Each structure stands twice: as structure tokens, then as C-alpha cells.
């Protein structure tokens, strides 16, 4: 089990492979150098109230991601019992159909980590099969049909997220620890390695890179218009911003610092906080869902805490903190429409799991 799989539950236990177990990553930054910059405050802080969207059907076990394109909304269920994805009319959220059937046949999925919309098509990632699948909308627009499956190279360690770079290339996190991200072509072949884990823990970089990479499990998003790739850590509070057009790179580290864990009785135990759970790069800013709940508090409350984050952090495309939104619900996934000043979000704690927030200019 990868350390990155902790997204599934609040009461988290983390397992490492035996040859990773000699390392302890409980490290605080003493100094910030180069492109690694601290942040602690946002110039603006605003409260947002969510509007609950009433659905006419009960589908979800763990609504994790949401995307909207035109008059269609797609919601991903991380623990879907029969299907991992569901298609709705937007903005009415009238249910249309489901896709990504759960099962072990060649046309079914063992998992769905994320999905992306690109050129009016949809790509999904199945980490358990190490496959990317392309689906297209039916002629009526009320269903998604499987068109193509790409098997990733065997030397690409179990991928937990992906972004679409262009018509022929994907970006996938590198869990070997040798680099930060991998560029993979449309045939699933590795073509380029990008960056390095921006940790201050030199010992881990030298002696346990795969374990460190798992601790640094991040969610990512890429905007093809401005060339900005953003990654936010699931543990700790690190935001990485790569501009793939001009090759600049900025790392912003918040007060909770980089991901932390210790080894105890053969288990990797997180010692810091649950950090971010989703990120979106728009044409003008970066929006990220932040939790900030310590694992001590999660253990003490023993499942009584709401699951998710009640903050949305907004950064400029250069990494400057802009605004902190404080929400009246705990959420996991977001979709931001800057034109209409709307944020759609998923709430795993309620039977009606879709929320709408309206926000002003940042």
C-alpha cells in the first residue's frame, strides 16, 4: 500500500514496503533558499456559504472529484460500488448515466484515481491496472463510451494522479523518487523526467527516495493556456508551481511545513497534518482545497471529525498567496469557474454531496 493512499479514510494507517523502513522523515525546514519560499498569511480572508444541490438519485459512496464542461457535469466516486463515474446535466444536475464499471474484466476498472476532460473527450486513470482510458461522448451527449486504453510502462511505479500536457503527452508523478514528474506519451512510454522532490531532508533523498516520494504524494493540475503545472502535497503544506513554458519553478511552504512521517513497528505513521486534497489551475490563479487537521486530532476524535477540508487557498500563477476562503462545509474536490465566480465542490459527509459556492474577485 502506498503512503499516498491515505486519502481513503480519516482514521489512517500507512504501510511501507520492508526495504523502506529504516528512514524517518520528521523534518522541519531551518532555512529557505533559492526558489523555496515560506508563506504564513493571505492578504485576504473571506467566508463562503455553500448551496446544497439536491440530487434526485442516490449514487455516491465517496464523491471525490468534479468537473464541468458546457452543459455536462461529471462526478467521480472514489469507492463506487458499481461505477466510478457519473454524468449529469448541468446546471440542473439531472442524472444521465454512469461509466467506469467496477470489475476485473478487460473493459472494467479496478480503481479510478482521477479523470480529465480534454478536447471534449474524457481520460481516466486506473492505478491498479496502470491504465489510462479515453472515453467519448455519445452522439446524444447523455453517455460516455470507451474508445481507447493505454497501458503504462512497467517501470512507471503505481501512478496516483495525472494531467494532460497536450494531444500526445501526459504528466504523471514519479514515485521512484528519482524525479518529481514524468512525461509519458500517448502509448504509455516514458519520454522525459521533470524536477526533483523539493525536500530539505538530504538523508532521505540519498537513502530512501521511493519512501520519500510516497510521503510527498501530491495532487496536480495543468493549464495548457498558461503552461502552469501545480502540485499540492496530501501531507504537510507544500505548493509547487512549474511553468513548463519558461521552465521556472517556485515552491511555497506553509506553516505546517513539508510532509512528515515516522516509522513505528514496521508502519509508516504520519506525524504532521492532512494537507491538500485537490488543486485547479485556472487562467489567472491556483485554487487548492486545504485540510490542516493534525493526525493527533484525527486519532483522538476517532472518526468523529468531518472528512475533508474547510479552506480553499488561492495563489497567483507565480505562487503569491492571494486569498483564503473559509467554508461552512468540509469538501474534497473542486471545480472553479472564474467567469461566473462559481466553485462546485464535493462533500463526502452528506447524502447530498454536491455544493455550490459563489465568490467575488480576488
Amino acid at each position: 500500500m502506498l503512503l499516498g493512499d491515505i486519502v481513503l479514510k480519516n482514521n489512517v494507517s500507512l504501510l511501507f514496503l520492508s526495504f523502506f523502513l529504516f528512514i524517518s522523515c520528521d523534518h522541519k525546514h531551518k532555512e529557505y533558499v533559492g526558489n523555496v519560499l515560506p508563506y504564513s498569511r493571505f492578504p485576504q480572508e473571506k467566508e463562503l456559504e455553500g448551496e446544497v444541490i439536491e440530487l434526485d438519485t442516490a449514487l455516491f459512496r465517496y464523491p471525490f472529484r468534479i468537473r464541468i464542461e458546457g452543459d455536462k457535469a461529471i462526478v467521480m466516486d472514489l469507492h463506487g460500488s458499481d461505477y466510478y463515474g457519473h454524468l449529469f446535466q448541468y446546471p440542473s444536475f439531472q442524472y444521465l448515466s454512469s461509466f467506469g464499471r467496477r470489475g476485473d474484466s478487460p473493459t472494467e476498472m479496478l480503481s479510478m484515481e482521477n479523470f480529465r476532460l480534454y478536447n471534449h473527450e474524457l481520460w481516466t486513470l486506473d492505478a491498479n491496472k496502470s491504465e489510462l482510458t479515453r472515453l467519448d461522448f455519445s452522439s446524444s451527449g447523455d453517455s460516455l463510451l470507451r474508445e481507447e486504453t493505454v497501458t503504462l510502462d512497467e517501470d512507471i511505479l503505481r501512478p496516483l494522479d495525472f494531467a494532460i500536457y497536450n494531444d500526445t503527452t501526459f504528466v504523471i508523478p514519479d514515485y521512484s523518487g528519482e524525479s518529481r514528474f514524468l512525461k509519458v506519451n500517448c502509448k504509455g512510454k516514458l519520454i522525459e523526467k521533470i524536477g526533483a522532490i523539493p525536500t530539505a531532508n538530504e538523508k532521505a533523498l540519498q537513502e530512501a527516495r521511493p519512501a520519500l516520494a510516497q510521503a510527498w504524494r501530491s495532487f496536480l493540475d495543468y493549464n495548457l493556456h498558461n503552461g502552469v503545472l501545480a502540485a499540492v502535497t496530501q501531507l504537510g503544506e507544500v505548493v509547487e508551481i512549474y511553468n513548463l513554458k519558461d521552465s521556472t519553478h517556485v515552491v511555497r511552504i506553509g506553516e505546517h511545513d513539508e510532509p512528515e512521517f515516522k516509522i513505528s513497528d514496521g508502519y509508516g505513521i504520519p506525524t504532521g497534518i492532512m494537507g491538500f486534497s485537490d488543486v485547479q489551475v485556472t487562467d489567472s490563479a491556483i485554487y487548492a482545497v486545504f485540510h490542516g487537521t493534525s493526525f493527533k486530532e484525527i486519532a483522538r476524535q476517532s472518526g468523529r471529525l468531518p472528512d475533508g477540508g474547510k479552506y480553499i487557498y488561492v495563489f497567483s500563477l507565480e505562487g503569491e498567496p492571494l486569498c483564503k476562503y473559509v467554508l461552512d462545509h468540509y469538501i474534497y474536490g473542486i471545480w472553479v469557474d472564474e467567469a461566473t465566480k462559481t466553485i462546485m465542490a464535493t462533500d463526502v459527509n452528506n447524502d447530498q454531496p454536491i455544493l455550490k459556492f459563489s465568490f467575488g474577485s480576488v
Side-chain angles (χ1 to χ4, degrees), residues 134-257:
R134 179 173 61 87
L135 300 96
D136 201 356
F137 287 92
S138 64
S139 58
S140 60
D142 59 2
S143 61
L144 283 157
L145 308 175
R146 185 185 182 100
E147 298 287 343
E148 174 189 7
T149 296
V150 176
T151 300
L152 300 174
D153 274 350
E154 291 183 359
D155 57 352
I156 298 174
L157 295 185
R158 187 169 182 258
L160 293 173
D161 204 353
F162 78 110
I164 298 175
Y165 179 67
N166 58 27
D167 291 344
T168 61
T169 309
F170 305 98
V171 178
I172 294 174
D174 180 7
Y175 284 105
S176 73
E178 296 300 318
S179 64
R180 194 67 176 104
F181 303 105
L182 308 172
K183 280 188 178 179
V184 178
N185 68 17
C186 57
K187 302 298 183 182
K189 306 298 183 182
L190 172 63
I191 57 176
E192 184 182 351
K193 296 183 177 182
I194 303 171
I197 300 171
T199 181
N201 192 330
E202 294 295 331
K203 181 180 180 182
L205 275 176
Q206 294 172 5
E207 300 176 354
R209 287 191 176 187
L212 185 68
Q214 292 173 26
W216 276 75
R217 186 262 173 96
S218 297
F219 303 105
L220 64 151
D221 192 40
Y222 176 71
N223 185 302
L224 59 90
H225 298 127
N226 51 40
V228 171
L229 173 71
V232 294
T233 56
Q234 188 180 23
L235 302 180
E237 189 177 350
V238 182
V239 180
E240 297 171 73
I241 301 157
Y242 293 78
N243 189 312
L244 300 186
K245 288 188 176 181
D246 62 16
S247 299
T248 57
H249 176 213
V250 175
V251 181
R252 301 305 301 251
I253 298 185
E255 61 180 324
H256 297 287
D257 217 303

Side-chain angles (χ1 to χ4, degrees), residues 229-299:
L229 173 71
V232 294
T233 56
Q234 188 180 23
L235 302 180
E237 189 177 350
V238 182
V239 180
E240 297 171 73
I241 301 157
Y242 293 78
N243 189 312
L244 300 186
K245 288 188 176 181
D246 62 16
S247 299
T248 57
H249 176 213
V250 175
V251 181
R252 301 305 301 251
I253 298 185
E255 61 180 324
H256 297 287
D257 217 303
E258 66 175 78
E260 301 172 18
F261 66 92
K262 290 183 177 180
I263 302 302
S264 176
D265 297 326
Y267 291 86
I269 307 298
T271 58
I273 63 155
M274 279 291 287
F276 297 93
S277 63
D278 199 9
V279 61
Q280 181 178 342
V281 183
T282 67
D283 289 347
S284 62
I286 298 166
Y287 296 76
V289 179
F290 185 69
H291 295 215
T293 309
S294 72
F295 285 99
K296 288 183 180 179
E297 182 67 11
I298 292 172

Side-chain angles (χ1 to χ4, degrees), residues 91-107:
S92 67
F93 274 90
Q94 177 184 353
Y95 170 73
L96 296 176
S97 61
S98 299
F99 65 95
R101 186 174 182 86
R102 183 171 185 161
D104 55 8
S105 80
T107 60

